[in-house]
Amino acid sequence: MTDPTPYIPPKVWTWDQENGGQFASINRPIAGATHDKGLPVGQHPYQLHSLATPNGVKVTVLFEELLEAGHDAEYDAWLINIGEGDQFGSGFVDINPNSKIPALLDLSGDTPVRVFESASILMHLAEKFGAFLPASGADRTETLNWLFWQMGSAPYLGGGFGHFYAYAPEKWQYPIDRFAMETKRQLDVLDRHLAENAWMAGGAYSIADMAIWAWYGQLALGRLYSAAEFLDVASYSHVLDWAKRIDGRPAVQRGRMVNRAFGEPSSQLRERHAASDFRTRTQDKLEPAAE
Ligand SMILES: N[C@@H](CCC(=O)N[C@@H](CS)C(=O)NCC(=O)O)C(=O)O
């Protein structure tokens, strides 16, 4: 169907602050901080500032997997509420000039190192601990192939399909068709690969699985955009089997809870500073429902 009032772009685009989309209040065409706000610093070498969106979950899953495997990867995870504009605070912009979660401050060496972009954080930690990324050779390259596939592909799923299917002020067929088609093509890429391989790369669970699972695994499990039926995710059976296998890992279950500020209160560990927080500091324990 054609839009009854077709949009004719003006000569020069201007910022319409009232465009009505779900994220209209936080999206802006200007980079940089909007307000002065330092970041808190905890006692561990790794300071993560994030939220449990798929991009955030990749990193908390890796931290929990490293701890589960016995590495000394203790971390403080602080909540960045992107709906309230925390990503535009001066302290956050200092560690990520792109104002997007996740961002990490690594205090484990002589000088603090800032790390932004989720794949950069995954690589940084995997290399530091020598885990979940082969050190060299063809398996390393294949792991990075799939890690960067995820980084290049997910904006079509999230910023494209998810935005127009779930968040735009109205449903428009053209963008939904375009991005549903691309998302299904991507699911088919994964399904064909996982029909022949247990894991994304190198015959072992890696940061490529973590990154892809956070988006496409959770999509297959029906957790993103209420779109499981619309995209017929059940038909990608190899993706679904792989997604369930990863979902069953204790570290993944913990990683999903960290910096989560939505959903069941018992699933929300808004800040994480110690392994015991999963037992004692979930939102149902901090704010028991009024009787
Ligand atoms: N390529 C970035 C994308 C990060 C990203 O898009 N983060 C979103 C949440 S999933 C965000 O912080 N959005 C806040 C905003 O756009 O203002 C990465 O992988 O780290």
Side-chain angles (χ1 to χ4, degrees):
M1 205 174 70
T2 343
D3 188 326
T5 51
Y7 169 63
I8 300 169
K11 275 206 162 58
V12 178
W13 183 85
T14 52
W15 182 14
D16 171 10
Q17 296 194 34
E18 301 298 322
N19 80 358
Q22 175 146 340
F23 295 103
S25 62
I26 56 165
N27 291 159
R28 36 205 301 274
I30 307 157
T34 55
H35 57 282
D36 275 336
K37 190 176 177 200
L39 292 177
V41 183
Q43 58 176 338
H44 298 305
Y46 301 99
Q47 301 295 307
L48 178 67
H49 298 272
S50 194
L51 180 71
T53 65
N55 287 321
V57 159
K58 293 173 202 175
V59 176
T60 48
V61 163
L62 175 57
F63 268 120
E64 294 300 326
E65 290 285 9
L66 288 167
L67 290 165
E68 183 89 21
H71 294 282
D72 186 12
E74 268 302 340
Y75 67 109
D76 291 285
W78 305 94
L79 185 68
I80 295 293
N81 191 333
I82 61 174
E84 290 181 6
D86 293 349
Q87 69 275 36
F88 302 114
S90 54
F92 188 82
V93 174
D94 283 345
I95 61 167
N96 185 354
N98 197 37
S99 286
K100 304 222 185 252
I101 66 91
L104 176 74
L105 191 61
D106 178 348
L107 301 176
S108 67
D110 294 340
T111 31
V113 176
R114 75 175 189 189
V115 198
F116 60 88
E117 284 295 318
S118 54
S120 180
I121 300 174
L122 295 181
M123 278 185 75
H124 180 82
L125 294 172
E127 286 177 341
K128 191 132 206 169
F129 291 98
F132 303 112
L133 172 65
S136 61
D139 286 349
R140 176 185 172 85
T141 305
E142 182 68 356
T143 306
L144 296 181
N145 290 343
W146 285 109
L147 178 64
F148 287 93
W149 176 88
Q150 184 278 305
M151 294 298 279
S153 299
Y156 292 95
L157 163 56
F161 173 75
H163 181 83
F164 286 104
Y165 185 73
Y167 301 142
E170 289 172 47
K171 306 283 180 232
W172 294 294
Q173 187 178 349
Y174 177 80
I176 292 175
D177 274 352
R178 173 173 159 76
F179 292 116
M181 178 156 65
E182 174 61 6
T183 299
K184 286 180 72 73
R185 190 193 66 79
Q186 294 173 351
L187 283 166
D188 196 35
V189 169
L190 294 174
D191 204 55
R192 287 166 191 247
H193 182 74
L194 290 165
E196 310 282 326
N197 299 277
W199 303 107
M200 289 311 306
Y205 176 60
S206 73
I207 54 173
D209 294 285
M210 296 176 210
I212 295 172
W213 179 85
W215 280 101
Y216 297 89
Q218 297 208 92
L219 178 68
L221 292 168
R223 294 185 188 146
L224 296 190
Y225 313 121
S226 304
E229 187 179 2
F230 183 72
L231 294 174
D232 188 21
V233 294
S235 63
Y236 305 97
S237 61
H238 303 290
V239 176
L240 200 50
D241 288 350
W242 162 89
K244 286 182 185 159
R245 228 180 319 131
I246 294 177
D247 199 42
R249 296 174 71 91
V252 172
Q253 288 170 16
R254 290 199 302 276
R256 283 186 63 215
M257 293 170 68
V258 178
N259 293 147
R260 192 172 158 99
F262 45 85
E264 279 295 305
S266 61
S267 74
Q268 298 184 27
L269 182 58
R270 294 188 182 181
E271 283 187 10
R272 184 235 186 257
H273 304 289
S276 57
D277 290 350
F278 291 97
R279 274 183 288 107
T280 59
R281 298 191 62 79
T282 48
Q283 209 54 25
D284 55 323
K285 309 263 171 46
L286 296 183
E287 283 179 19
E291 292 294 308

